[in-house]
Amino acid sequence: MAILPIVKYPDKRLKTKSQKVWEFDENLHTLLNDMYETMIATNGIGLAAIQVAKPICALIITLPREDGEQYEEDKLEIINPTLINATGASLYQEGCLSVPGFYEEIERFAEVSVAYQNRFGEEKVLKADGLLAIAIQHEMDHLNGVLFVDKLPLLRRKKFEKELKRIQKEQKSSQTN
């Protein structure tokens, strides 16, 4: 398994709409395994394939248990997801491996049902609420080229952009010193 480089905002590849997966083969399995290693190594709870420069409809999620640890047997691999039901509203402080260091409160559905395929192409349905519902929606947004910062109200979005420019400028000046 390998740790893959994560595509960071404002890289235009993050705006790419991912393509449906048709081949449930060893290449897909290797990618999913590498995505899991990458997500764990970077302290994430979810990762979409587009975040590792693979524009396919695949994502993984592994929520921490009560002890704060993530276990591989809890890993969800969700291929070609389709939202079939969504109800309620929930606010959650979200972050993103592609937008490191930024956290914003985002409104999402409180409960979702998703039809998807597993790594072998078998069709499944998952009903989720709480953090799992939030994570599924966040990662599914990535598959459509949408980042959580795209959901911010205009004033908060401008504040985010200003802060990002300041951080990038600081990083450039520290690299030249």
Side-chain angles (χ1 to χ4, degrees):
M1 291 198 262
I3 295 176
L4 306 171
I6 293 179
V7 178
K8 303 277 196 297
Y9 180 86
D11 192 307
K12 300 256 186 270
R13 291 177 290 179
L14 292 169
K15 295 293 185 183
T16 304
K17 188 165 174 46
S18 296
Q19 300 300 308
K20 187 171 182 165
V21 174
W22 296 100
E23 300 288 325
F24 295 84
D25 58 8
E26 194 56 42
N27 290 332
L28 176 65
H29 298 181
T30 298
L31 174 63
L32 292 168
N33 294 340
D34 291 348
M35 285 172 60
Y36 177 76
E37 286 296 313
T38 302
M39 181 189 72
I40 294 300
T42 54
N43 299 313
I45 63 168
L47 187 67
I50 191 65
Q51 291 179 273
V52 292
K54 303 292 184 200
I56 62 168
C57 289
L59 62 93
I60 60 168
I61 294 171
T62 307
L63 298 183
R65 292 187 186 173
E66 286 183 16
D67 64 4
E69 297 295 317
Q70 290 168 286
Y71 296 91
E72 191 163 7
E73 61 263 27
D74 297 337
K75 173 178 62 177
L76 286 171
E77 297 173 329
I78 299 176
I79 317 298
N80 300 326
T82 303
L83 195 61
I84 53 177
N85 192 26
T87 59
S90 177
L91 285 174
Y92 193 82
Q93 186 89 3
E94 293 186 28
C96 181
L97 295 175
S98 291
V99 190
F102 288 95
Y103 300 89
E104 288 286 346
E105 200 167 75
I106 303 295
E107 184 173 336
R108 302 236 184 227
F109 292 110
E111 297 177 10
V112 296
S113 294
V114 178
Y116 69 99
Q117 292 168 281
N118 67 12
R119 69 167 46 210
F120 304 107
E122 299 165 340
E123 294 185 5
K124 306 275 186 180
V125 173
L126 174 65
K127 292 182 180 185
D129 61 8
L131 181 56
L132 181 55
I134 300 294
I136 289 169
Q137 291 169 83
H138 178 107
E139 300 308 330
M140 283 181 68
D141 275 353
H142 276 298
L143 303 181
N144 292 309
V146 176
L147 296 167
F148 82 103
V149 294
D150 296 332
K151 295 182 169 290
L152 295 174
L154 184 58
L155 289 176
R156 281 182 35 217
R157 177 70 187 259
K158 285 186 177 199
K159 181 181 174 192
F160 161 75
E161 295 289 348
K162 185 177 178 183
E163 180 72 8
L164 180 66
K165 284 181 181 155
R166 183 187 63 75
I167 289 170
Q168 289 171 334
K169 187 177 177 182
E170 286 175 2
Q171 288 171 343
K172 281 183 184 175
S173 67
S174 68
Q175 290 171 355
T176 57
N177 292 338

